[in-house]
Amino acid sequence: MFVDLSVPVTAQTPVYPGDPEVRVDPVTDIDSAGYRCHRVSLGTHAGTHVDAPSHMVADGAHLDRYPVERFVGRGRYIDARGGFALDTVQQAGIAAGDIVVFHTGMADRYHEPSYFTDYPPLPLDIAEYLVECRVSMVGVDMCSVDYEPFAVHQTLLRGDVLILENLTGLERVAGRDFRVYALPLRLA
């Protein structure tokens, strides 16, 4: 069974303040051209997306530099709805190459302005622990893992841990063994 944990990308997709709005415009239609085609315009951080090191690190790699296998791995679910706790993460059986997803409950507020302003930042000690564990990716059901000056982003991305943001529906993988397939667009 597959479970889609991504948010739909539509013209109504909320975006981080200051990011470009999502646009989906018809270019042709079946009646006039015999086929349907749309032009899609969005920022690289709209909807569910993966942050590459190049997002925050001057000489960091872009996503197209990673093999496709890097975006697939054993998922490890951590319930963080009551807050983040390092001991909970340490007891989660995390191994190198895992994709760790944190369920904070913020996805329930995805269409509210507070989704982008009042989310719980991932603590730096947890980010450092995940880098030590050599996880492949960290996923969250919120717009970001932290706030400016983005120390958690820097720690994870400099540690070659990719960041998966704006997940939804994480309760559907709680208590299960699962694999994550987080295949981003291959943009260079």
Side-chain angles (χ1 to χ4, degrees):
M1 174 168 107
F2 285 89
V3 176
D4 186 353
L5 301 174
S6 64
V7 297
V9 177
T10 70
Q12 290 74 43
T13 298
V15 296
Y16 193 85
D19 281 2
E21 297 292 322
V22 175
R23 297 207 38 182
V24 181
D25 301 311
V27 177
T28 63
D29 63 43
I30 292 174
D31 292 337
S32 63
Y35 64 95
R36 184 174 291 122
C37 183
H38 290 80
R39 176 181 302 119
V40 178
S41 173
L42 66 152
T44 55
H45 297 276
T48 305
H49 64 275
V50 178
D51 285 350
S54 62
H55 176 47
M56 294 271 176
V57 179
D59 59 347
H62 294 265
L63 292 179
D64 67 325
R65 299 294 179 218
Y66 288 93
V68 71
E69 296 83 13
R70 181 61 189 274
F71 304 100
V72 177
R74 181 178 79 145
R76 302 306 292 165
Y77 170 91
I78 297 177
D79 188 341
R81 288 175 289 183
F84 292 103
L86 179 58
D87 61 331
T88 301
V89 177
Q90 291 171 328
Q91 296 169 18
I94 295 169
D98 282 351
I99 298 175
V100 180
V101 297
F102 289 93
H103 184 192
T104 68
M106 284 299 298
D108 296 342
R109 296 171 29 192
Y110 182 61
H111 288 281
E112 299 173 19
S114 64
Y115 178 82
F116 295 101
T117 58
D118 298 327
Y119 53 91
L122 184 72
L124 187 56
D125 61 344
I126 292 176
E128 290 168 343
Y129 176 76
L130 294 170
V131 169
E132 287 173 27
C133 289
R134 297 185 352 260
V135 302
S136 178
M137 196 177 306
V138 170
V140 293
D141 62 342
M142 48 191 191
C143 67
S144 180
V145 292
D146 62 351
Y147 295 90
E148 285 188 61
F150 303 113
V152 172
H153 265 89
Q154 292 284 339
T155 297
L156 292 171
L157 296 174
R158 287 186 187 283
D160 200 34
V161 175
L162 303 176
I163 303 169
L164 180 56
E165 296 171 329
N166 293 324
L167 292 169
T168 191
L170 288 175
E171 65 279 355
R172 295 180 291 165
V173 296
R176 305 175 88 155
D177 289 330
F178 64 100
R179 291 187 64 72
V180 175
Y181 298 82
L183 306 172
L185 294 175
R186 192 174 175 194
L187 301 174

